Amino acid sequence: VLTYLGIPLASFAFISGAVAIGFGFGAKTIIENFLSGWILMSERPIRIGDVIEMDGFLGVITEIGNRSTQIKRNDGAQIIVPNSQVLESKLINWTLNDPYIRTTVRVGVAYGTDVELVKKQLNQVLANHEMIQDDPSPVVVFEDFGDSSLIFDCFFWISVQSGREPRLVRSEIRCMIE
């Protein structure tokens, strides 16, 4: 039929080849994200409800689909990330094995202050906060001599699945210390 219409078969093959190549390049990312979705769902390096840090933002995984993953940032924004980017990027999963993270509050006190009394009072504040885990227990460290104060760091573990952001817990600790 093509010969009868005067269309050379070689040009038809060239055009169909170009269309196939274009379709292949267009479908590459779709297939890549689809396969990445299968890998995410089978290997489970992230799960719905996990708290993750990716590209400088902190958020919670709300959905893992065939093509993309939805992350709700702690400011409320929903981010839709292609599954291939989730697999290829450096991602911190804060809750992969357990929901606890270690955080810290830094305190400066005036030179001449009784160091043992400061440590005792800081430990008492940490023991009285309901969000701070007993195991592992909080630790108060005399960290450094500052320009105008003695620097203490309070290290403690909290659950990130408790509903409260770590910075709110740190703020509460600072208020209790004050």
Side-chain angles (χ1 to χ4, degrees):
V1 172
L2 292 173
T3 306
Y4 179 72
L5 294 173
I7 301 173
L9 192 56
S11 64
F12 182 71
F14 178 76
I15 291 172
S16 62
V19 169
I21 290 172
F23 178 76
F25 280 124
K28 175 187 172 283
T29 56
I30 293 171
I31 293 169
E32 186 177 87
N33 287 322
F34 186 72
L35 293 175
S36 296
W38 280 10
I39 292 169
L40 287 174
M41 287 187 251
S42 65
E43 289 185 0
R44 300 179 56 82
I46 58 171
R47 298 172 305 259
I48 294 174
D50 280 353
V51 177
I52 59 108
E53 187 175 336
M54 181 176 166
D55 295 335
F57 66 83
L58 190 68
V60 177
I61 303 291
T62 57
E63 184 178 329
I64 302 171
N66 286 327
R67 191 189 64 78
S68 63
T69 298
Q70 291 186 23
I71 303 167
K72 184 175 184 179
R73 286 193 326 206
N74 55 2
D75 64 359
Q78 287 285 132
I79 299 174
I80 299 170
V81 182
N83 286 333
S84 61
Q85 287 183 9
V86 173
L87 283 179
E88 293 170 1
S89 68
K90 290 185 179 180
L91 177 130
I92 299 170
N93 188 339
W94 288 99
T95 55
L96 181 63
N97 296 322
D98 62 44
Y100 303 107
I101 64 167
R102 189 185 79 175
T103 187
T104 184
V105 169
R106 180 163 276 195
V107 180
V109 297
Y111 275 99
T113 305
D114 183 348
V115 173
E116 291 304 317
L117 179 62
V118 171
K119 289 175 70 172
K120 179 182 173 187
Q121 289 181 336
L122 290 175
N123 276 314
Q124 184 178 358
V125 167
L126 296 174
N128 289 334
H129 196 283
E130 72 277 0
M131 295 294 298
I132 295 178
Q133 301 300 307
D134 294 330
D135 186 30
S137 60
V139 175
V140 176
V141 176
F142 181 4
E143 184 64 33
D144 202 359
F145 295 96
D147 291 337
S148 60
S149 63
L150 304 174
I151 308 297
F152 290 83
D153 283 337
C154 303
F155 297 99
F156 51 92
W157 291 81
I158 60 172
S159 172
V160 292
Q161 293 179 332
S162 66
R164 276 200 249 171
E165 290 184 40
R167 66 180 168 178
L168 295 178
V169 174
R170 289 191 300 266
S171 175
E172 292 168 1
I173 295 295
R174 289 182 185 107
C175 289
M176 290 171 70
I177 291 169
E178 176 58 27

